[in-house]
Amino acid sequence: SGLLSNYVNCLSLDNNKLFIGTRQGVSVKTKTEIFSYKSPQINKIRHSDSVTYLATVKGVKLLKGIELNHFYIDSVIDKSVINDMVIDKDVLWIASEVGLYKMEDFKGSNPTIRKVSKYNVTALELYNNQLFIGTLSDGVYRYSVLKNTQNKMSEIENVTDIELKNKELWIAANTSKIE
């Protein structure tokens, strides 16, 4: 098949290329070829300004053109499981096993980073200056980007994904409950 692994964790489409995140790295399928890049397991793929950001089980990786490099953020995040990311202009939101981080001016030469939440954050969705935060065992939160406040929305645990479709918030979770 040309993939590094048959265990696919995530997919993303950008500029007529299909990015396939697997347990052993990322494969990029064009109309005619597949290019593969070995790395730690890929959990999420995001794109901004011709750069692909990969959330992995060992920090964040950058795919620029045909080069895959580690994106150095700080000593804790660089060794952590990154579950999800959201890019909002010059801000990179990082959902990790050690908390939620906001990295401002992340493309610049002097980015600032601060921890916003201590929970094991598993999923993110940004809409209208509201960041919806799914966690492993602490529920679902709404974070106001403008006010820097966080409120619990739900007790749902083991959140695996959050999506906003037609102004409805959909939450996927590994749980036996229906809420």
Side-chain angles (χ1 to χ4, degrees):
S1 69
L3 299 180
L4 293 167
S5 169
N6 288 331
Y7 294 97
V8 175
N9 296 326
C10 55
L11 299 169
S12 181
L13 192 62
D14 188 54
N15 293 327
N16 293 320
K17 295 177 187 172
L18 178 63
F19 292 78
I20 306 158
T22 73
R23 285 186 181 175
Q24 295 180 9
V26 64
S27 295
V28 182
K29 181 168 182 357
T30 66
K31 290 182 181 179
T32 58
E33 299 177 278
I34 294 181
F35 302 94
S36 294
Y37 305 88
K38 279 192 166 254
S39 78
Q41 176 178 305
I42 308 294
N43 293 329
K44 195 63 87 168
I45 303 168
R46 300 291 186 208
H47 310 277
S48 178
D49 298 331
S50 302
V51 178
T52 301
Y53 296 82
L54 306 169
T56 80
V57 295
K58 288 187 181 171
V60 178
K61 308 292 184 221
L62 298 177
L63 182 58
K64 259 187 199 180
I66 60 168
E67 282 192 34
L68 180 67
N69 293 303
H70 187 77
F71 184 33
Y72 294 97
I73 299 170
D74 82 7
S75 60
V76 174
I77 296 171
D78 291 344
K79 296 175 188 167
S80 298
V81 174
I82 309 301
N83 296 308
D84 200 353
M85 297 175 297
V86 169
I87 297 170
D88 181 28
K89 299 176 191 103
D90 68 338
V91 175
L92 177 64
W93 295 92
I94 303 167
S96 78
E97 66 181 345
V98 293
L100 174 65
Y101 292 85
K102 179 181 183 181
M103 186 175 185
E104 295 183 87
D105 191 29
F106 75 100
K107 297 176 191 175
S109 59
N110 194 20
T112 58
I113 187 157
R114 72 179 174 91
K115 193 171 194 174
V116 174
S117 176
K118 64 182 180 189
Y119 306 116
N120 182 343
V121 179
T122 54
L124 297 173
E125 179 73 18
L126 182 67
Y127 175 73
N128 207 17
N129 291 313
Q130 301 291 315
L131 186 65
F132 298 94
I133 305 165
T135 70
L136 182 66
S137 57
D138 296 291
V140 178
Y141 293 82
R142 178 188 347 231
Y143 178 83
S144 170
V145 174
L146 300 177
K147 297 178 183 176
N148 291 319
T149 57
Q150 180 175 288
N151 297 21
K152 194 169 200 175
M153 295 176 54
S154 171
E155 296 291 332
I156 296 174
E157 294 182 347
N158 295 314
V159 175
T160 58
D161 201 7
I162 297 178
E163 294 264 339
L164 195 72
K165 298 291 181 195
N166 300 322
K167 296 186 180 180
E168 290 183 339
L169 191 65
W170 290 84
I171 301 169
N174 286 331
T175 181
S176 58
K177 292 189 228 174
I178 295 179
E179 205 172 306

